[in-house]
Amino acid sequence: MKLLIISDIHSNSYYLNRIKDYIEGEKADVIYFIGDAIGIYDDPNSVLNWLKSINAICIKGNHEKYFLDEIKYKPEMEGIYLVREHRAKISDENTEFIKSWSDKIEATIQDKSFLFVHGDINSSENHIYTPSIELDDNILKKYDYYIYGNTHIPLIQYHYGCCIINPGSIGQPRDYTATPSYVVINLDLGETVIRKIPVKPDDYIKHLEKKLFNKEVINILKRKVNEKN
């Protein structure tokens, strides 16, 4: 059984179009998307249409919850989050698609127990950078796999026999490699790996600059190894 985990595309169809052949070429038995398909960049419908086309099992991230008005966001963040813009842009069909997503998923696959969340089990907005410190030990002891997103930084760690996984981000990598990532779990082989697929961001950055996008979200795409914020 082969699982593929993706997260945090954030309406960046430019990056997605350059790595989706790799994702589809993995021939995974099931693909889980763990939140934030929308928000921040400029092409949410293409991202949502692709998730439907691959039959991804999806959960809501904080940006889906902002979009659906399930949680509030600070009004001063609108220039970065683009919630109102995406409410006007996203099709009715894709809005219904987002509404169908769960907040979290618990599953048993080949006798292994999985928990899929976006931030953590308490909130889709939470950012977990040091799982061994920030996650509840009792929760980790319940699962074989604890899978989360939101930080945009790929990670695989083991605590109490639980494999903790963050697949990183397709649309906005924040690990200073400028490289989208996803995770493949092969239960038959007992193997869990991070895949990082290089893209060349220059054309997309120019496109965003012409559209007068927020400089902060553009500059994240420019980050280089060992570069300071």
Side-chain angles (χ1 to χ4, degrees):
M1 183 74 166
K2 190 176 186 181
L3 315 181
L4 194 144
I5 318 298
I6 52 179
S7 189
D8 294 281
I9 305 177
H10 283 296
S11 306
N12 186 344
S13 64
Y14 182 92
Y15 276 28
L16 175 61
N17 287 338
R18 280 148 186 79
I19 74 165
K20 65 183 182 183
D21 285 348
Y22 292 92
I23 291 172
E24 294 173 22
E26 296 279 0
K27 304 296 184 185
D29 295 290
V30 60
I31 297 176
Y32 286 91
F33 176 73
I34 58 169
D36 282 1
I38 63 175
I40 299 182
Y41 295 109
D42 63 339
D43 195 5
N45 282 305
S46 291
V47 172
L48 293 164
N49 289 339
W50 177 74
L51 289 171
K52 285 188 291 187
S53 76
I54 62 170
N55 296 313
I57 299 173
C58 303
I59 62 173
K60 296 171 190 169
N62 51 305
H63 283 265
E64 282 79 37
K65 287 178 171 285
Y66 299 150
F67 174 77
L68 296 173
D69 203 24
E70 293 182 357
I71 57 176
K72 302 297 183 183
Y73 67 99
K74 295 178 181 178
E76 60 267 27
M77 297 302 293
E78 174 62 29
I80 293 176
Y81 292 170
L82 305 183
V83 178
R84 292 196 299 271
E85 179 177 320
H86 285 186
R87 284 174 181 163
K89 182 179 284 189
I90 291 172
S91 70
D92 291 343
E93 180 182 341
N94 282 331
T95 297
E96 292 304 311
F97 178 48
I98 293 170
K99 287 179 179 178
S100 73
W101 300 1
S102 301
D103 291 348
K104 65 179 181 179
I105 293 173
E106 293 184 84
T108 300
I109 306 170
Q110 288 191 188
D111 297 324
K112 300 294 184 182
S113 56
F114 287 77
L115 176 66
F116 300 87
V117 294
H118 181 67
D120 65 15
I121 200 166
N122 298 308
S123 170
S124 62
E125 293 185 294
N126 287 347
H127 292 80
I128 304 300
Y129 293 103
T130 52
S132 61
I133 297 172
E134 297 173 80
L135 293 179
D136 186 330
D137 293 351
N138 291 319
I139 292 176
L140 294 180
K141 291 173 183 178
K142 287 176 58 179
Y143 298 99
D144 296 299
Y145 293 87
Y146 185 109
I147 300 171
Y148 72 101
N150 205 32
T151 67
H152 300 206
I153 299 172
L155 171 149
I156 298 172
Q157 292 183 6
Y158 290 84
H159 296 283
Y160 301 106
C162 178
C163 182
I164 304 169
I165 297 169
N166 189 318
S169 171
I170 289 177
Q172 194 193 64
R174 294 182 188 167
D175 59 356
Y176 291 82
T177 67
T179 307
S181 61
Y182 59 90
V183 161
V184 177
I185 304 170
N186 190 320
L187 292 175
D188 298 326
L189 299 178
E191 179 181 75
T192 303
V193 295
I194 296 168
R195 304 265 202 252
K196 294 179 70 65
I197 310 298
V199 299
K200 295 180 179 179
D202 293 352
D203 287 344
Y204 188 53
I205 288 170
K206 290 176 184 177
H207 162 77
L208 294 174
E209 289 173 339
K210 284 180 182 178
K211 293 184 74 172
L212 302 178
F213 259 67
N214 183 282
K215 288 184 178 179
E216 181 178 338
V217 301
I218 294 174
N219 288 339
I220 290 174
L221 302 180
K222 295 179 178 180
R223 286 175 174 175
K224 294 180 174 61
V225 175
N226 295 325
E227 184 178 69
K228 292 183 179 179
N229 280 319

